[in-house]
Amino acid sequence: MDADELIDGLRAVCVALPEVTEKISHGTPSWFVRKMFASYVGRHHGDEYLCLWVAAPEGAQEEMVTAEPDRFFVPPYVGHRGWLGLRLDVEPQGPDWGEVREVVTDAYRQVAPRRLAALLG
């Protein structure tokens, strides 16, 4: 998958959530529900990989990075706040969109007001 296809897929996942807006932040598409919860990073920060950075529930970063370090990582700048990095280019056919949806939904729940997070069930 190329970067444009990845961004289109991420956009579809993110804007399906209540009251999400997309803005360019630090030169890349990012998604907000009052605060940023996900950002497509691509190679913007000199990264070798096409990536998504997301807010993560407490403990999720360590758990996922330990379990699958070839796919998940501690991103620079925001990793110290518990954010999680997800490589989107591991599989030639593209990411597992179900997994991306789960990670993004968890990120949304971390920053969304309670009334909006409650809409997700």
Side-chain angles (χ1 to χ4, degrees), residues 6-30:
L6 289 172
I7 292 168
D8 288 345
L10 291 171
R11 182 174 289 124
V13 168
C14 292
V15 301
L17 297 166
E19 296 187 25
V20 169
T21 59
E22 179 179 329
K23 300 175 192 171
I24 299 297
S25 179
H26 300 88
T28 62
S30 300

Side-chain angles (χ1 to χ4, degrees), residues 56-67 72-75 78-85:
E58 187 173 333
Q61 180 197 76
E62 182 179 0
E63 179 182 326
M64 295 173 91
V65 170
T66 300
F72 296 100
F73 62 95
V74 177
V78 293
H80 70 280
R81 294 192 327 226
W83 279 53
L84 178 68

Side-chain angles (χ1 to χ4, degrees), residues 43-80:
R43 294 182 176 90
H44 176 72
H45 292 281
D47 293 327
E48 181 179 351
Y49 311 109
L50 300 174
C51 306
L52 174 67
W53 295 358
V54 295
E58 187 173 333
Q61 180 197 76
E62 182 179 0
E63 179 182 326
M64 295 173 91
V65 170
T66 300
E68 296 186 72
D70 57 327
R71 296 181 47 233
F72 296 100
F73 62 95
V74 177
Y77 312 113
V78 293
H80 70 280

